[in-house]
Amino acid sequence: MPIRFVLLLFVIVVAGCGSDTVLNPRFQPEINNATDNFQFQATNVTNVNDQLQYTWQNTGMQANVNQACSITAGTASLTIRDSAGTVVYSGDLRNNGTFVTNAGPSGGWTIAVSLSGVSGTLNFRVQKNP
């Protein structure tokens, strides 16, 4: 009886999992999340809808944001919150260039990427502003 219960539980858990698991993501961004340096890149993205969020350690009070994307369809935005949860940067990833966040307390900053029907290449970096 215990083996049947374990097997039933396994089937329920597996059936409850969607196809977009850690082992089978909708796309595979390359992420480098190091203290004071966050990098995000994804090439050949096709019609992706996703909300991604990362905690990044910033020992400074501001950050430089370098965006170098080539988006052919859809919308993609980047929002950065400081360790207090205040939005210090919000931008459209179609706008390439280097931008500076507003000032905020150091610590665990949140980097959120919102993708809606996005195709193309996504590439941005967030680094501590000296």
Side-chain angles (χ1 to χ4, degrees), residues 34-36 56-63 101 104-109 126-129:
T35 299
D36 295 334
W56 169 63
Q57 294 300 316
N58 183 4
T59 61
M61 295 178 58
Q62 281 187 302
T101 67
S106 62
W109 285 30
V126 183
Q127 295 179 306
K128 172 184 159 184
N129 186 339

PDB file of all heavy atoms in Angstrom, residues 34-36 56-63 101 104-109 126-129:
ATOM      1  N   ALA A  34      26.450  38.246 -10.717  1.00  0.00           N
ATOM      2  CA  ALA A  34      27.531  38.408  -9.750  1.00  0.00           C
ATOM      3  C   ALA A  34      27.343  39.728  -9.007  1.00  0.00           C
ATOM      4  O   ALA A  34      26.708  40.655  -9.517  1.00  0.00           O
ATOM      5  CB  ALA A  34      28.873  38.401 -10.473  1.00  0.00           C
ATOM      6  N   THR A  35      27.880  39.817  -7.822  1.00  0.00           N
ATOM      7  CA  THR A  35      27.812  41.063  -7.070  1.00  0.00           C
ATOM      8  C   THR A  35      28.340  42.206  -7.924  1.00  0.00           C
ATOM      9  O   THR A  35      29.419  42.104  -8.517  1.00  0.00           O
ATOM     10  CB  THR A  35      28.625  40.947  -5.763  1.00  0.00           C
ATOM     11  OG1 THR A  35      28.047  39.900  -4.970  1.00  0.00           O
ATOM     12  CG2 THR A  35      28.620  42.254  -4.983  1.00  0.00           C
ATOM     13  N   ASP A  36      27.544  43.256  -8.026  1.00  0.00           N
ATOM     14  CA  ASP A  36      27.874  44.493  -8.759  1.00  0.00           C
ATOM     15  C   ASP A  36      27.908  44.327 -10.278  1.00  0.00           C
ATOM     16  O   ASP A  36      28.253  45.275 -10.985  1.00  0.00           O
ATOM     17  CB  ASP A  36      29.196  45.107  -8.277  1.00  0.00           C
ATOM     18  CG  ASP A  36      29.115  45.573  -6.832  1.00  0.00           C
ATOM     19  OD1 ASP A  36      28.002  45.891  -6.368  1.00  0.00           O
ATOM     20  OD2 ASP A  36      30.163  45.617  -6.163  1.00  0.00           O
ATOM     21  N   TRP A  56      19.701  40.732  -7.336  1.00  0.00           N
ATOM     22  CA  TRP A  56      21.078  41.077  -7.675  1.00  0.00           C
ATOM     23  C   TRP A  56      21.676  41.909  -6.545  1.00  0.00           C
ATOM     24  O   TRP A  56      21.038  42.852  -6.051  1.00  0.00           O
ATOM     25  CB  TRP A  56      21.079  41.861  -8.990  1.00  0.00           C
ATOM     26  CG  TRP A  56      22.372  42.502  -9.342  1.00  0.00           C
ATOM     27  CD1 TRP A  56      23.556  41.879  -9.604  1.00  0.00           C
ATOM     28  CD2 TRP A  56      22.635  43.902  -9.467  1.00  0.00           C
ATOM     29  NE1 TRP A  56      24.530  42.796  -9.893  1.00  0.00           N
ATOM     30  CE2 TRP A  56      23.985  44.049  -9.819  1.00  0.00           C
ATOM     31  CE3 TRP A  56      21.856  45.050  -9.323  1.00  0.00           C
ATOM     32  CZ2 TRP A  56      24.580  45.294 -10.019  1.00  0.00           C
ATOM     33  CZ3 TRP A  56      22.438  46.286  -9.529  1.00  0.00           C
ATOM     34  CH2 TRP A  56      23.795  46.402  -9.873  1.00  0.00           C
ATOM     35  N   GLN A  57      22.887  41.575  -6.120  1.00  0.00           N
ATOM     36  CA  GLN A  57      23.554  42.303  -5.045  1.00  0.00           C
ATOM     37  C   GLN A  57      24.327  43.497  -5.602  1.00  0.00           C
ATOM     38  O   GLN A  57      25.251  43.329  -6.400  1.00  0.00           O
ATOM     39  CB  GLN A  57      24.504  41.377  -4.266  1.00  0.00           C
ATOM     40  CG  GLN A  57      23.798  40.277  -3.502  1.00  0.00           C
ATOM     41  CD  GLN A  57      22.827  40.827  -2.471  1.00  0.00           C
ATOM     42  OE1 GLN A  57      23.121  41.779  -1.734  1.00  0.00           O
ATOM     43  NE2 GLN A  57      21.636  40.238  -2.412  1.00  0.00           N
ATOM     44  N   ASN A  58      23.900  44.686  -5.184  1.00  0.00           N
ATOM     45  CA  ASN A  58      24.558  45.930  -5.579  1.00  0.00           C
ATOM     46  C   ASN A  58      25.136  46.567  -4.327  1.00  0.00           C
ATOM     47  O   ASN A  58      24.389  46.921  -3.410  1.00  0.00           O
ATOM     48  CB  ASN A  58      23.546  46.872  -6.246  1.00  0.00           C
ATOM     49  CG  ASN A  58      24.175  48.158  -6.740  1.00  0.00           C
ATOM     50  OD1 ASN A  58      25.385  48.351  -6.658  1.00  0.00           O
ATOM     51  ND2 ASN A  58      23.352  49.054  -7.270  1.00  0.00           N
ATOM     52  N   THR A  59      26.473  46.704  -4.268  1.00  0.00           N
ATOM     53  CA  THR A  59      27.099  47.320  -3.095  1.00  0.00           C
ATOM     54  C   THR A  59      27.104  48.843  -3.186  1.00  0.00           C
ATOM     55  O   THR A  59      27.534  49.513  -2.257  1.00  0.00           O
ATOM     56  CB  THR A  59      28.550  46.814  -2.903  1.00  0.00           C
ATOM     57  OG1 THR A  59      29.326  47.176  -4.049  1.00  0.00           O
ATOM     58  CG2 THR A  59      28.576  45.301  -2.703  1.00  0.00           C
ATOM     59  N   GLY A  60      26.631  49.367  -4.309  1.00  0.00           N
ATOM     60  CA  GLY A  60      26.566  50.815  -4.500  1.00  0.00           C
ATOM     61  C   GLY A  60      25.154  51.340  -4.280  1.00  0.00           C
ATOM     62  O   GLY A  60      24.246  50.619  -3.868  1.00  0.00           O
ATOM     63  N   MET A  61      24.979  52.619  -4.607  1.00  0.00           N
ATOM     64  CA  MET A  61      23.674  53.259  -4.447  1.00  0.00           C
ATOM     65  C   MET A  61      23.026  53.579  -5.794  1.00  0.00           C
ATOM     66  O   MET A  61      21.905  54.063  -5.833  1.00  0.00           O
ATOM     67  CB  MET A  61      23.816  54.520  -3.601  1.00  0.00           C
ATOM     68  CG  MET A  61      24.257  54.201  -2.175  1.00  0.00           C
ATOM     69  SD  MET A  61      24.510  55.663  -1.147  1.00  0.00           S
ATOM     70  CE  MET A  61      22.930  56.450  -1.228  1.00  0.00           C
ATOM     71  N   GLN A  62      23.742  53.334  -6.894  1.00  0.00           N
ATOM     72  CA  GLN A  62      23.212  53.510  -8.237  1.00  0.00           C
ATOM     73  C   GLN A  62      23.798  52.423  -9.126  1.00  0.00           C
ATOM     74  O   GLN A  62      24.747  51.741  -8.731  1.00  0.00           O
ATOM     75  CB  GLN A  62      23.590  54.880  -8.823  1.00  0.00           C
ATOM     76  CG  GLN A  62      22.760  56.025  -8.328  1.00  0.00           C
ATOM     77  CD  GLN A  62      23.096  57.304  -9.084  1.00  0.00           C
ATOM     78  OE1 GLN A  62      24.232  57.734  -9.094  1.00  0.00           O
ATOM     79  NE2 GLN A  62      22.091  57.887  -9.707  1.00  0.00           N
ATOM     80  N   ALA A  63      23.234  52.292 -10.326  1.00  0.00           N
ATOM     81  CA  ALA A  63      23.760  51.322 -11.277  1.00  0.00           C
ATOM     82  C   ALA A  63      23.691  51.903 -12.677  1.00  0.00           C
ATOM     83  O   ALA A  63      22.849  52.751 -12.983  1.00  0.00           O
ATOM     84  CB  ALA A  63      22.961  50.026 -11.219  1.00  0.00           C
ATOM     85  N   THR A 101      20.492  54.454 -13.149  1.00  0.00           N
ATOM     86  CA  THR A 101      19.322  54.329 -12.279  1.00  0.00           C
ATOM     87  C   THR A 101      19.264  55.507 -11.317  1.00  0.00           C
ATOM     88  O   THR A 101      20.256  56.213 -11.115  1.00  0.00           O
ATOM     89  CB  THR A 101      19.382  53.038 -11.438  1.00  0.00           C
ATOM     90  OG1 THR A 101      20.466  53.132 -10.499  1.00  0.00           O
ATOM     91  CG2 THR A 101      19.532  51.800 -12.308  1.00  0.00           C
ATOM     92  N   GLY A 104      19.444  54.556  -4.677  1.00  0.00           N
ATOM     93  CA  GLY A 104      18.698  53.751  -3.718  1.00  0.00           C
ATOM     94  C   GLY A 104      19.663  53.040  -2.798  1.00  0.00           C
ATOM     95  O   GLY A 104      20.863  52.976  -3.066  1.00  0.00           O
ATOM     96  N   PRO A 105      19.160  52.474  -1.715  1.00  0.00           N
ATOM     97  CA  PRO A 105      20.047  51.790  -0.777  1.00  0.00           C
ATOM     98  C   PRO A 105      20.670  50.529  -1.391  1.00  0.00           C
ATOM     99  O   PRO A 105      20.063  49.852  -2.206  1.00  0.00           O
ATOM    100  CB  PRO A 105      19.138  51.432   0.400  1.00  0.00           C
ATOM    101  CG  PRO A 105      17.745  51.536  -0.109  1.00  0.00           C
ATOM    102  CD  PRO A 105      17.770  52.469  -1.271  1.00  0.00           C
ATOM    103  N   SER A 106      21.893  50.255  -1.002  1.00  0.00           N
ATOM    104  CA  SER A 106      22.582  49.058  -1.489  1.00  0.00           C
ATOM    105  C   SER A 106      21.934  47.809  -0.910  1.00  0.00           C
ATOM    106  O   SER A 106      21.095  47.881  -0.022  1.00  0.00           O
ATOM    107  CB  SER A 106      24.064  49.121  -1.107  1.00  0.00           C
ATOM    108  OG  SER A 106      24.192  49.135   0.301  1.00  0.00           O
ATOM    109  N   GLY A 107      22.332  46.677  -1.453  1.00  0.00           N
ATOM    110  CA  GLY A 107      21.779  45.406  -0.979  1.00  0.00           C
ATOM    111  C   GLY A 107      21.198  44.623  -2.134  1.00  0.00           C
ATOM    112  O   GLY A 107      21.656  44.734  -3.270  1.00  0.00           O
ATOM    113  N   GLY A 108      20.181  43.837  -1.840  1.00  0.00           N
ATOM    114  CA  GLY A 108      19.552  43.001  -2.852  1.00  0.00           C
ATOM    115  C   GLY A 108      18.575  43.782  -3.705  1.00  0.00           C
ATOM    116  O   GLY A 108      17.467  44.087  -3.269  1.00  0.00           O
ATOM    117  N   TRP A 109      18.980  44.120  -4.899  1.00  0.00           N
ATOM    118  CA  TRP A 109      18.117  44.821  -5.850  1.00  0.00           C
ATOM    119  C   TRP A 109      17.385  43.776  -6.695  1.00  0.00           C
ATOM    120  O   TRP A 109      17.895  42.677  -6.922  1.00  0.00           O
ATOM    121  CB  TRP A 109      18.936  45.734  -6.750  1.00  0.00           C
ATOM    122  CG  TRP A 109      19.421  47.000  -6.074  1.00  0.00           C
ATOM    123  CD1 TRP A 109      19.714  47.163  -4.759  1.00  0.00           C
ATOM    124  CD2 TRP A 109      19.695  48.247  -6.704  1.00  0.00           C
ATOM    125  NE1 TRP A 109      20.152  48.442  -4.519  1.00  0.00           N
ATOM    126  CE2 TRP A 109      20.151  49.134  -5.708  1.00  0.00           C
ATOM    127  CE3 TRP A 109      19.610  48.698  -8.003  1.00  0.00           C
ATOM    128  CZ2 TRP A 109      20.512  50.446  -5.975  1.00  0.00           C
ATOM    129  CZ3 TRP A 109      19.976  50.016  -8.277  1.00  0.00           C
ATOM    130  CH2 TRP A 109      20.411  50.875  -7.268  1.00  0.00           C
ATOM    131  N   VAL A 126      23.675  45.286 -16.091  1.00  0.00           N
ATOM    132  CA  VAL A 126      23.462  46.225 -14.998  1.00  0.00           C
ATOM    133  C   VAL A 126      24.704  46.130 -14.107  1.00  0.00           C
ATOM    134  O   VAL A 126      25.041  45.052 -13.630  1.00  0.00           O
ATOM    135  CB  VAL A 126      22.193  45.883 -14.184  1.00  0.00           C
ATOM    136  CG1 VAL A 126      21.960  46.922 -13.092  1.00  0.00           C
ATOM    137  CG2 VAL A 126      20.967  45.774 -15.099  1.00  0.00           C
ATOM    138  N   GLN A 127      25.370  47.264 -13.914  1.00  0.00           N
ATOM    139  CA  GLN A 127      26.600  47.284 -13.119  1.00  0.00           C
ATOM    140  C   GLN A 127      26.561  48.406 -12.099  1.00  0.00           C
ATOM    141  O   GLN A 127      26.006  49.477 -12.360  1.00  0.00           O
ATOM    142  CB  GLN A 127      27.806  47.485 -14.014  1.00  0.00           C
ATOM    143  CG  GLN A 127      28.061  46.347 -14.974  1.00  0.00           C
ATOM    144  CD  GLN A 127      29.256  46.606 -15.863  1.00  0.00           C
ATOM    145  OE1 GLN A 127      29.317  47.625 -16.529  1.00  0.00           O
ATOM    146  NE2 GLN A 127      30.206  45.682 -15.866  1.00  0.00           N
ATOM    147  N   LYS A 128      27.171  48.148 -10.975  1.00  0.00           N
ATOM    148  CA  LYS A 128      27.301  49.158  -9.935  1.00  0.00           C
ATOM    149  C   LYS A 128      27.896  50.425 -10.550  1.00  0.00           C
ATOM    150  O   LYS A 128      28.852  50.363 -11.322  1.00  0.00           O
ATOM    151  CB  LYS A 128      28.205  48.649  -8.818  1.00  0.00           C
ATOM    152  CG  LYS A 128      28.575  49.668  -7.789  1.00  0.00           C
ATOM    153  CD  LYS A 128      29.562  49.078  -6.791  1.00  0.00           C
ATOM    154  CE  LYS A 128      30.320  50.152  -6.071  1.00  0.00           C
ATOM    155  NZ  LYS A 128      31.331  49.577  -5.180  1.00  0.00           N
ATOM    156  N   ASN A 129      27.286  51.563 -10.220  1.00  0.00           N
ATOM    157  CA  ASN A 129      27.800  52.848 -10.674  1.00  0.00           C
ATOM    158  C   ASN A 129      28.840  53.297  -9.645  1.00  0.00           C
ATOM    159  O   ASN A 129      28.518  53.471  -8.482  1.00  0.00           O
ATOM    160  CB  ASN A 129      26.668  53.865 -10.770  1.00  0.00           C
ATOM    161  CG  ASN A 129      27.087  55.177 -11.372  1.00  0.00           C
ATOM    162  OD1 ASN A 129      28.274  55.513 -11.386  1.00  0.00           O
ATOM    163  ND2 ASN A 129      26.125  55.918 -11.856  1.00  0.00           N
TER     164      ASN A 129
END
